Amino acid sequence: MLDFSNARILVIGDVMLDQYWSGPSERVSPEAPVPVVKIKNDEVRLGGAANVALNLKALGAQVEIAGVIGKDSAGEELTNALNQYGISTHFYLGSTPTIRKLRILSRHQQLLRMDFEETLPPEDSLIFTTQTLPLLKNFDLVLISDYGKGCLNEVQRLIQKSNELQIKTFIDPKGDCYEKYRGATLIKPNQSEFCQITGSFNDENDFDIKAAHLIEKLKIEHLLVTRSEHGMALFGKTNTPYKIATRAQDVYDVTGAGDTVIATLAAAFANGKNLQESVNLANMAAGIVVAKVGTATASIAELNDQFSQSQRHQGYVSPSKEQLKELVEQAQQQGQKVVFTNGCFDILHSGHVRYLDEAAKQGDKLIIAVNTDESVQTLKGPSRPIIPLENRMELLASLSFVDWVVPFSEETPRDLICYLQPDVLVKGGDYQPHEIAGCDCVWENGGEVKILSFWDGFSTSNIVERIQTSLNDHRSNQNNANGGAKGDAK
């Protein structure tokens, strides 16, 4: 399991409020050749450096944020939203309004973006930086998120102070002058930004040479270039370039993907992962967020799910139904059909495997809810289970067609089914659909209930009986042998 809870990270940068107005669009305006959107939803999200902080929080890191906001309702809304997520703020009230970006969407497509912003005066940036410097000593890593709005005009002072304190600095850069980032630990431009600084490259060898020159010129330790569909490339002063392919399957919206990459990279590195491991995790996280609409985050549950499946194709053993609910909703938003089944699965045998394989074929994702040891005892008697819950779940998760495994302790999994709201409920045996626990919740949500036949000749109870019979026969043979030996001795 990935755990980033030990990371103490300070995010410094341009904060902004992202607004999303959305609704159906069914006609073209008679005033101009533009669609008419009937607004049904008005949503506010954290943007810019605030989204970076939110990404870190979603990953379980300890995070605080420093930035500049205006003396307005948008600044208050931004502060309150961060505080509600448990993110402490160190904001300077500047002389310009809080930056807002308003997006108009219809049917998950962005039709228009309107930006409300003014460049921050240099004197505000100077005061903000002076107030922020004393905070640095309290953190393991400083993450600087530059959107070119003026907040980071004095960024070199922040880098120099961090270096004096031996604190690592990761930077998401902006603009056509990187001299201001001199001496940073790592800089993460995208490929377009990289070419803006170094010039376009002809091939991979030319790319590597230009990256090495930039590292030497800026006296930085590492350079990470994100390359959209071509993945990522990590460069260091001496190491061979480390390049990985993208993991994104379906791309709905790339908004905020760069924030997710730098946040995941920082969280992993601050918790002891090396940079190559951190880059791999950041790549996984990017693949998660681009499958969502709008500014989004990758949670620790989603990242653990991806990480677990990358390790020997193993399913994700969810520690809580809340984390699993998040994964189910994400899968359903992507149009995937989620299948649910349950059982004790004590002494996993080929009958179980065949049944679960058939269950998995009813949709795209398979959840297996497993009875706890106490509930198995209630169902099967005090001698069961043979295999403890943790081991039963681990075995089930190792099956290639199993996606998620979760425990339940109730008499039936009805409450869990109603909470998770799967698309398909599957049960094996001689049941009628209306007899299956949780069927009512599935039907109410437009789902299906299916009955699959168990494979004949396979039964855990029969296996246990055969084991017991074999042990009894073995003891009887031992006793007879011992008795015969005693007779011979006489």
Side-chain angles (χ1 to χ4, degrees):
M1 283 292 189
L2 299 170
D3 183 3
F4 301 143
S5 60
N6 290 325
R8 298 179 304 160
I9 299 174
L10 175 64
V11 176
I12 307 174
D14 299 298
V15 296
M16 54 195 72
L17 198 65
D18 283 343
Q19 294 177 286
Y20 293 84
W21 292 0
S22 60
S25 175
E26 299 175 350
R27 64 191 179 94
V28 175
S29 171
E31 303 167 358
V34 294
V36 176
V37 180
K38 190 173 184 179
I39 301 300
K40 295 287 187 180
N41 298 298
D42 181 357
E43 184 181 0
V44 172
R45 299 184 188 178
L46 300 172
N51 186 52
V52 176
L54 184 60
N55 271 273
L56 284 163
K57 191 66 178 181
L59 292 170
Q62 303 174 49
V63 57
E64 299 182 24
I65 186 169
V68 180
I69 59 173
K71 301 173 185 178
D72 49 30
S73 59
E76 293 178 2
E77 193 168 9
L78 189 61
T79 303
N80 292 336
L82 284 161
N83 291 340
Q84 286 176 1
Y85 283 110
I87 300 171
S88 297
T89 57
H90 305 276
F91 285 158
Y92 170 68
L93 295 178
S95 58
T96 56
T98 303
I99 299 171
R100 292 188 297 128
K101 295 183 182 294
L102 172 60
R103 296 170 175 89
I104 311 297
L105 298 91
S106 182
R107 295 191 174 96
H108 302 300
Q109 295 294 318
Q110 186 176 144
L111 303 181
L112 178 68
R113 192 181 96 176
M114 294 183 286
D115 293 359
F116 305 86
E117 63 180 68
E118 296 177 23
T119 301
L120 194 71
E123 55 269 26
D124 281 357
S125 178
L126 179 61
I127 297 172
F128 163 69
T129 303
T130 302
Q131 291 184 356
T132 303
L133 288 173
L135 300 174
L136 303 181
K137 63 181 183 295
N138 302 319
F139 299 90
D140 305 315
L141 186 146
V142 173
L143 196 163
I144 295 173
S145 180
D146 192 352
Y147 277 79
K149 308 303 181 184
C151 173
L152 294 166
N153 287 341
E154 303 289 327
V155 65
Q156 185 56 216
R157 292 178 62 195
L158 295 168
I159 295 172
Q160 289 179 7
K161 185 62 176 179
S162 297
N163 289 341
E164 289 176 17
L165 297 170
Q166 296 185 328
I167 296 171
K168 302 294 185 181
T169 49
F170 282 17
I171 299 180
D172 201 345
K174 195 72 172 181
D176 56 5
C177 178
Y178 280 14
E179 280 295 327
K180 58 185 176 181
Y181 306 128
R182 175 178 290 272
T185 306
L186 179 143
I187 298 178
K188 184 208 72 65
N190 60 39
Q191 185 164 298
S192 176
E193 292 167 334
F194 173 82
C195 291
Q196 186 180 6
I197 297 299
T198 66
S200 59
F201 54 87
N202 300 318
D203 51 34
E204 288 298 299
N205 184 59
D206 191 22
F207 177 36
D208 297 352
I209 292 172
K210 289 182 181 296
H213 286 167
L214 187 61
I215 288 174
E216 178 58 31
K217 177 182 177 182
L218 299 179
K219 305 301 179 186
I220 59 177
E221 294 182 25
H222 299 280
L223 173 71
L224 175 64
V225 181
T226 55
R227 310 176 68 189
S228 188
E229 70 273 14
H230 299 297
M232 301 182 187
L234 175 68
F235 301 90
K237 290 181 178 179
T238 57
N239 297 339
T240 301
Y242 179 65
K243 299 177 181 179
I244 56 175
T246 183
R247 292 182 61 89
Q249 301 299 313
D250 297 302
V251 178
Y252 289 94
D253 195 336
V254 297
T255 306
D259 296 340
T260 299
V261 169
I262 194 72
T264 309
L265 187 78
F269 187 76
N271 272 274
K273 299 289 185 183
N274 63 42
L275 271 178
Q276 289 191 7
E277 293 171 326
S278 301
V279 167
N280 279 317
L281 292 172
N283 196 33
M284 288 182 189
I288 293 169
V289 298
V290 297
K292 303 179 182 181
V293 176
T295 306
T297 61
S299 71
I300 189 64
E302 291 173 314
L303 191 57
N304 263 316
D305 179 40
Q306 290 289 316
F307 181 72
S308 295
Q309 293 193 39
S310 71
Q311 307 294 305
R312 298 177 288 112
H313 304 289
Q314 186 163 347
Y316 177 51
V317 177
S318 178
S320 71
K321 65 180 185 180
E322 290 77 17
Q323 290 190 0
L324 182 55
K325 173 70 170 178
E326 184 179 340
L327 298 173
V328 169
E329 289 179 345
Q330 177 61 23
Q332 290 171 332
Q333 287 169 9
Q334 295 177 19
Q336 295 180 316
K337 185 181 289 187
V338 177
V339 182
F340 180 103
T341 192
N342 67 280
C344 300
F345 301 104
D346 190 21
I347 305 183
L348 190 65
H349 52 68
S350 57
H352 288 142
V353 174
R354 294 179 185 181
Y355 163 73
L356 293 174
D357 182 34
E358 189 65 25
K361 293 175 181 176
Q362 309 307 310
D364 303 295
K365 295 283 188 179
L366 175 62
I367 301 170
I368 303 179
V370 186
N371 291 80
T372 60
D373 293 347
E374 293 76 14
S375 63
V376 174
Q377 289 178 354
T378 302
L379 291 169
K380 305 291 185 179
S383 64
R384 301 280 294 275
I386 305 298
I387 309 297
L389 173 65
E390 183 177 346
N391 300 116
R392 286 184 281 133
M393 293 179 69
E394 184 179 0
L395 285 169
L396 289 166
S398 69
L399 298 174
S400 61
F401 44 77
V402 174
D403 296 285
W404 303 311
V405 184
V406 64
F408 75 99
S409 57
E410 295 79 13
E411 183 177 349
T412 75
R414 182 185 182 279
D415 289 346
L416 182 61
I417 293 167
C418 295
Y419 178 72
L420 295 176
Q421 296 186 9
D423 301 292
V424 184
L425 174 60
V426 172
K427 191 69 177 175
D430 298 325
Y431 294 95
Q432 293 298 314
H434 68 273
E435 298 173 334
I436 308 301
C439 65
D440 53 332
C441 293
V442 174
W443 281 328
E444 285 175 12
N445 289 304
E448 305 173 81
V449 178
K450 296 185 177 182
I451 308 299
L452 302 181
S453 298
F454 279 132
W455 291 81
D456 293 335
F458 300 98
S459 165
T460 299
S461 297
N462 290 341
I463 292 173
V464 172
E465 288 178 6
R466 288 201 298 272
I467 292 172
Q468 290 174 337
T469 299
S470 178
L471 286 172
N472 290 335
D473 290 344
H474 178 68
R475 293 191 187 103
S476 178
N477 291 335
Q478 279 192 322
N479 290 335
N480 290 335
N482 291 337
K486 289 177 181 178
D488 292 340
K490 290 180 182 179

